[in-house]
Amino acid sequence: MCGSNVFLRVLWLFLCRAIASCSPLTADRQANITSMLGQQADRVMALGEWEERWQQNKISFHQPEVHKMLKKNIDKVLNGRTGVRFFFPLCGKAVDMKWLADMGHSVVGVEISEKAIRQFFEENNMTYSEEPVPAIPGAKVYAALIISLMANDCRYLLDTLLYNPDLYQGPPFFVPDEQVHSLFGSSCDIELLQSEDALTDKQRNWGLDKFLENVHLITPKSN
């Protein structure tokens, strides 16, 4: 981020309806997962809704501090490497980006909200310049795009949330472990690094009584 002058704005694509199939499941478990995912099958956030949230400052998802689970698992991601190139899809104005950049890493963030991008630079007292970016043809679904960008030594930290989608339809969206394996399992090894109860008053106000946060380390399978 430090030393980088350009922030790209591209179309945001989000996949929330793949059906879990990789892990062996009982019929009841498969039916339960399918039912839970079905609650959000039509709940895909449009570009306009995302932009409207930023314009109206409805960004309760933004965290003013570096994510504690990123801090705890950063050594797993770095794996002894220095000067790592980090990619933040749907970056918003995440302070994690500057934290990594200050450690000497290269950071690329992708966001569609110009307000979010400007706020990131302004709140961190960083200068920036703007350049037009050509349209990107042939867009792919979210997980396929990430896999296509992974180098052999890529280590992708994926944060997912588990809750009852009957009570709240997102965002953020419900993503069971089985769906993670369905999306990435054929091409990548998946390790659950951390799982913790993340329920706060904010989630209780959404009507939830359980809210679990999982962090997965995803790496390309060796040939």
Side-chain angles (χ1 to χ4, degrees):
M1 193 65 60
C2 306
S4 174
N5 293 324
V6 182
F7 232 101
L8 304 183
R9 287 189 293 162
V10 300
L11 290 179
W12 170 52
L13 299 175
F14 192 92
L15 178 65
C16 71
R17 59 176 71 184
I19 301 300
S21 61
C22 268
S23 303
L25 300 173
T26 65
D28 288 344
R29 174 64 174 163
Q30 176 69 68
N32 186 46
I33 292 172
T34 301
S35 175
M36 295 176 77
L37 288 172
Q39 298 297 323
Q40 296 181 342
D42 297 320
R43 183 63 179 93
V44 179
M45 182 177 285
L47 299 179
E49 182 182 352
W50 180 254
E51 178 67 24
E52 183 179 359
R53 283 176 175 267
W54 280 98
Q55 293 301 324
Q56 297 180 357
N57 204 37
K58 294 180 178 179
I59 52 172
S60 58
F61 50 82
H62 173 71
Q63 299 187 37
E65 305 292 336
V66 176
H67 200 299
K68 62 181 181 180
M69 296 176 86
L70 172 61
K71 281 186 172 182
K72 183 173 182 178
N73 294 287
I74 187 62
D75 289 340
K76 286 273 191 178
V77 177
L78 295 177
N79 197 32
R81 299 173 296 173
T82 59
V84 174
R85 186 175 177 86
F86 282 88
F87 174 54
F88 277 73
L90 315 181
C91 63
K93 56 176 181 178
V95 297
D96 315 69
M97 295 188 290
K98 186 174 187 299
W99 180 68
L100 290 167
D102 288 344
M103 293 170 62
H105 302 297
S106 174
V107 180
V108 175
V110 174
E111 177 57 62
I112 67 160
S113 172
E114 185 171 338
K115 182 177 181 179
I117 297 169
R118 290 182 182 277
Q119 286 185 354
F120 172 79
F121 286 108
E122 292 167 358
E123 292 174 7
N124 289 288
N125 298 313
M126 299 170 66
T127 59
Y128 63 94
S129 62
E130 298 182 16
E131 295 180 14
V133 178
I136 300 179
K140 305 175 182 178
V141 297
Y142 187 60
L145 174 61
I146 294 296
I147 292 172
S148 73
L149 296 174
M150 297 175 80
N152 291 335
D153 63 346
C154 177
R155 302 177 75 80
Y156 177 34
L157 204 62
L158 177 66
D159 186 63
T160 60
L161 300 171
L162 300 176
Y163 59 84
N164 185 348
D166 288 330
L167 302 177
Y168 178 72
Q169 292 193 351
F173 294 103
F174 161 76
V175 182
D177 293 347
E178 290 84 357
Q179 189 175 19
V180 174
H181 283 268
S182 175
L183 293 171
F184 294 97
S186 62
S187 303
C188 302
D189 293 319
I190 302 168
E191 178 185 357
L192 178 63
L193 296 181
Q194 189 176 354
S195 180
E196 69 174 41
D197 182 359
L199 184 69
T200 67
D201 288 340
K202 178 168 67 175
Q203 287 80 39
R204 292 188 183 95
N205 289 336
W206 296 344
L208 297 176
D209 54 7
K210 292 183 180 179
F211 194 74
L212 189 68
E213 186 169 12
N214 288 345
V215 170
H216 310 263
L217 180 65
I218 298 177
T219 55
K221 289 183 177 179
S222 56
N223 295 328

